[in-house]
Amino acid sequence: MDTESDPHDSGRESTGSTVDPNGRLLDGITVVDLTTFVTGGFATLMLANQGAEVIKVERPGAGDDSRHSGPPFVPVEGYDGPGRPATEAGESPYFWTVNYGKRSVELNLKSEAGLAALYDLIETADVVIENFRPGTADRLGVGYEDVRELNGDVIYCSISAFGDSGPWSERPGYDLLVQGMSGIMSVTGPEDGDPVKVGLPQTDLITAMWAAFGIVGALFRRERTGEGERVELGMLDAALPWLTKQAGKAFVGEETTRMGTKDPVLAPYQSYPTADGYLNVACGNQRLWEEFCAAIDREDLAEDDRFETNGDRVGHMDELEGELSATLAERTTDEWVSLLADEKGLPVGPVFDVSEALTNEQVEARGVVGTLPHAALGEIDAIEHPLNFAGADSGFQSGPPLLGEDTESVLSELGYDEAEIDRLRERGAIPE
């Protein structure tokens, strides 16, 4: 680095003139991903889907914690190419779902040579993202000020459980803890049951989406100003805006409770038992309610004073549930969907299990689930992301990397020759 130059100006020209207008939106953007598990992993996954080159820097021998999340694990036998599974049991499908389209480099950041190699990589980056506990990145020499000295217009994103400030800032945090502390668990589950965790890492994913949004916004600002930025967020902060209708009740002093599948401000808006399963009914306005009553031959409900308006229905939700449950139990879920959704155009739908959600005719028609290449397994199933652009491409172009699969190729691209790569091994910066 030229020490006489302005550390806030790396000399990088705007990418706007070099981007292929028919390519992906983030083609030409390089992301150095220092994160582990889901919050950072899904954020950079979103960037990879839109064309960013994401270089995942992992701990030698262990890698990302999500590589060890399982079972299930998929055994890998007879593979002798670059990289390897992080566990003897094989590859974690959970890891795949948050790491498509990335490259994996193993670097020991506690070694002087490993940190120097990372610095070389950071000098080429547009984005650096980390989710260490506050203060850890600084101790490792990869905090914002360290990185900005190397690359003045970098976009640097810091994710933690509770953010950089406040009395809880140094606490560790995981999705389960944040689901509990954000109020989400208090309004999830049966009315007379215990608090329930949402059956997926919801606050991890919420935080990841905020992080990706912040990074792209900062990249857009850099195109206009030439200035880098630090994006900082905590998981608890990220989850609270999603409380929406529940927060609205709390703001005016109303109690928020678990309601099963019922909704606090709309009715009918819940699951009902059918002859062979469940049907979700979502009448979001008065017209839909009246048309729904007519379609199920229960015009009497639309004329009932208890159910006249949405406010009335919310106030008499238990009585409404009894009436609709008795009627909807007379037919199967498929029969109701055929009549109400397909024939009448009303908002009802089945409750699928995960396999059904991934394999139904709508998902197949949209091409949401497909396959991607995997270095050791040939092909694996993959879920595409939902953004479709009229004038730009999108989508994953490669599968998830094996641990350290790209270490040598990335170093070579940085200008390291074979002798220098061997010296990194000798100095404990990269594994044998």
Side-chain angles (χ1 to χ4, degrees):
M1 181 180 70
D2 180 1
T3 56
E4 298 301 318
S5 64
D6 182 352
H8 300 280
D9 180 10
S10 71
R12 181 185 290 113
E13 294 181 1
S14 168
T15 60
S17 61
T18 60
V19 170
D20 178 358
N22 298 314
R24 296 185 292 172
L25 297 182
L26 297 181
D27 281 346
I29 296 297
T30 299
V31 179
V32 173
D33 183 354
L34 303 178
T35 69
T36 188
F37 246 124
V38 181
T39 49
F42 200 86
T44 57
L45 182 76
M46 293 176 66
L47 304 179
N49 186 263
Q50 299 305 318
E53 179 185 37
V54 176
I55 300 173
K56 187 174 182 63
V57 178
E58 302 192 63
R59 292 170 296 166
D64 189 317
D65 287 335
S66 61
R67 289 187 183 273
H68 303 267
S69 296
F73 293 100
V74 179
V76 175
E77 299 177 359
Y79 177 72
D80 61 359
R84 63 201 183 284
T87 70
E88 292 183 2
E91 287 280 280
S92 167
Y94 180 29
F95 171 82
W96 298 344
T97 63
V98 290
N99 287 287
Y100 308 129
K102 302 179 186 179
R103 305 173 77 189
S104 171
V105 172
E106 289 178 277
L107 282 179
N108 179 5
L109 302 188
K110 294 182 179 180
S111 74
E112 183 177 338
L115 188 59
L118 177 64
Y119 286 165
D120 288 339
L121 185 57
I122 285 172
E123 287 181 341
T124 72
D126 297 278
V127 177
V128 174
I129 179 170
E130 54 88 6
N131 65 345
F132 299 115
R133 201 181 302 187
T136 301
D138 292 325
R139 289 194 296 273
L140 289 172
V142 292
Y144 176 52
E145 294 302 327
D146 303 300
V147 169
R148 189 169 65 158
E149 284 298 313
L150 296 165
N151 186 336
D153 64 355
V154 73
I155 307 302
Y156 185 100
C157 180
S158 298
I159 302 172
S160 60
F162 301 104
D164 279 0
S165 59
W168 299 346
S169 62
E170 294 188 8
R171 289 188 186 181
Y174 285 88
D175 172 71
L176 173 64
L177 306 185
V178 179
Q179 284 204 33
M181 298 170 78
S182 65
I184 290 172
M185 287 176 63
S186 75
V187 294
T188 304
E191 298 174 57
D192 56 353
D194 296 327
V196 172
K197 179 179 77 69
V198 177
L200 45 84
Q202 185 177 47
T203 65
D204 281 334
L205 298 171
I206 289 171
T207 305
M209 298 184 81
W210 280 120
F213 176 70
I215 289 168
V216 171
L219 286 169
F220 177 70
R221 178 178 178 272
R222 190 182 73 178
E223 287 295 300
R224 298 192 295 177
T225 67
E227 298 176 356
E229 181 61 89
R230 183 179 183 231
V231 182
E232 185 270 331
L233 70 161
M235 293 173 64
L236 182 60
D237 302 346
L240 293 180
W242 285 47
L243 291 176
T244 57
K245 63 183 68 177
Q246 300 288 1
K249 293 188 69 173
F251 285 154
V252 295
E254 292 193 13
E255 182 182 10
T256 59
T257 62
R258 289 179 294 285
M259 302 178 68
T261 66
K262 295 186 181 73
D263 188 86
V265 298
L266 291 171
Y269 200 95
Q270 67 180 90
S271 296
Y272 296 94
T274 65
D276 66 346
Y278 294 91
L279 184 75
N280 280 333
V281 176
C283 291
N285 60 47
Q286 188 67 18
R287 176 185 62 80
L288 290 172
W289 161 244
E290 293 171 0
E291 291 179 0
F292 174 74
C293 290
I296 63 171
D297 294 327
R298 291 298 309 268
E299 289 92 341
D300 60 298
L301 296 179
E303 298 168 358
D304 192 314
D305 290 343
R306 296 172 298 171
F307 312 133
E308 183 176 358
T309 68
N310 181 71
D312 295 327
R313 294 190 291 278
V314 170
H316 297 87
M317 202 175 292
D318 290 341
E319 297 100 309
L320 180 61
E321 180 179 36
E323 294 283 358
L324 292 181
S325 294
T327 297
L328 295 174
E330 295 173 359
R331 301 190 190 188
T332 67
T333 298
D334 284 349
E335 287 173 333
W336 283 122
V337 170
S338 178
L339 171 65
L340 300 176
D342 295 336
E343 294 183 26
K344 303 293 186 180
L346 292 167
V348 306
V351 178
F352 285 152
D353 64 25
V354 174
S355 293
E356 291 170 326
L358 293 172
T359 58
N360 62 76
E361 61 183 359
Q362 177 65 21
V363 167
E364 292 172 357
R366 297 279 290 175
V368 179
V369 178
T371 60
L372 287 172
H374 186 277
L377 298 170
E379 284 190 337
I380 61 170
D381 292 329
I383 303 172
E384 259 298 349
H385 283 195
L387 297 175
N388 301 291
F389 300 97
D393 197 5
S394 65
F396 299 113
Q397 296 184 341
S398 62
L402 290 166
L403 176 59
E405 181 180 338
D406 306 288
T407 301
E408 290 195 24
S409 61
V410 168
L411 290 172
S412 296
E413 291 163 14
L414 289 174
Y416 287 69
D417 60 26
E418 290 186 16
E420 290 171 314
I421 292 173
D422 287 340
R423 282 195 291 274
L424 288 178
R425 289 197 180 91
E426 293 169 1
R427 298 171 68 183
I430 62 176
E432 294 291 337

